[in-house]
Amino acid sequence: GSDICKYRLHVGSFPRPTAVFPAGGRPGEAVQLSWIGDPQGPWSTDLLLPTDGGSAAELFAQTDQGIAPSPIRVRVNELPNVVEAEPNDAREQATACTVPAALNGIIQQAGDVDRFKFTANKGQTFDVRVHARQPQRSRLDSVLGIYRADGSAIGSNDDDRGPDSYLRFSAPDDGEYVIVVHDQLLNGSPEMVYRIEVAPVRPSL
């Protein structure tokens, strides 16, 4: 220990979920959210996401027992939400989507692998970034991969300046591609929420 090892302890009957799903949405959008990880079990609420221009929002869980003393953070941007459809462990079961999009899922149990398939034209380029540890504080230590429809690899990434994964994808040909995500140690939990943002490459500082 040391003088920088500070902590705050909350004690009460308030709700205390550890994750929310899906992990984001569009500004001003009404999203049905599932609160996960509370000792009394999961529940759902409809919530309006803010329009203040921020890329992340702080959501406070609230029930008849009170309000959580600290928030869970989610992403807010213009990407349309896609929610995984289980089972999607095998390539032929991959959840179909159109990109750009935000792909939302949960690595539910040990060995779980999630797949999403999309079509791209030759030369189309996207930033593909996993949001799990940041901003949601998810327990997922992601590994991200992109493959051709025949299973041959385009690229993969484990950590990018932290446990969350990132790839820049440029389609080598017209065709179908598959995004694959799993935990680095192949662990799983109902709290391992993630959001993969597949966004066009734009100049930025």
Side-chain angles (χ1 to χ4, degrees), residues 128-139:
V128 184
R129 187 179 298 278
V130 177
H131 294 275
R133 295 289 178 93
Q134 294 294 332
Q136 291 92 348
R137 297 195 292 270
S138 171
R139 293 167 52 194

Side-chain angles (χ1 to χ4, degrees), residues 5-193:
C5 293
K6 297 177 172 65
Y7 66 88
R8 174 179 291 181
L9 176 66
H10 299 111
V11 181
S13 59
F14 43 75
R16 204 57 162 135
T18 56
V20 66
F21 183 81
R26 290 171 159 175
E29 182 179 33
V31 181
Q32 185 175 64
L33 300 172
S34 296
W35 300 91
I36 303 165
D38 187 85
Q40 298 195 47
W43 76 96
S44 296
T45 56
D46 291 327
L47 206 67
L48 203 65
L49 295 180
T51 57
D52 58 7
S55 62
E58 295 186 337
L59 307 182
F60 289 83
Q62 183 172 0
T63 66
D64 293 340
Q65 292 181 295
I67 302 175
S70 59
I72 294 175
R73 300 170 70 203
V74 298
R75 294 277 297 170
V76 181
N77 54 38
E78 292 293 344
L79 294 172
N81 266 353
V82 174
V83 176
E84 66 164 327
E86 291 281 7
N88 61 350
D89 288 53
R91 191 165 65 248
E92 59 272 15
Q93 298 172 323
T95 300
C97 62
T98 300
V99 296
L103 317 177
N104 297 269
I106 306 174
I107 301 299
Q108 292 272 7
Q109 63 271 329
D112 190 12
V113 177
D114 287 351
R115 288 177 166 85
F116 298 84
K117 62 183 178 181
F118 65 96
T119 300
N121 297 324
K122 183 176 181 178
Q124 274 191 295
T125 304
F126 298 96
D127 281 333
V128 184
R129 187 179 298 278
V130 177
H131 294 275
R133 295 289 178 93
Q134 294 294 332
Q136 291 92 348
R137 297 195 292 270
S138 171
R139 293 167 52 194
L140 176 66
D141 183 0
S142 64
V143 176
L144 173 70
I146 301 179
Y147 297 82
R148 290 182 172 87
D150 64 6
S152 57
I154 299 291
S156 65
N157 178 257
D158 180 3
D159 298 336
D160 178 68
R161 292 170 291 180
D164 289 338
S165 310
Y166 163 79
L167 280 172
R168 178 161 289 183
F169 165 74
S170 185
D173 301 290
D174 295 351
E176 187 175 87
Y177 298 90
V178 180
I179 292 173
V180 180
V181 63
H182 60 83
D183 182 69
Q184 197 268 339
L185 296 177
L186 293 179
N187 292 324
S189 162
E191 301 167 41
M192 284 190 177
V193 172

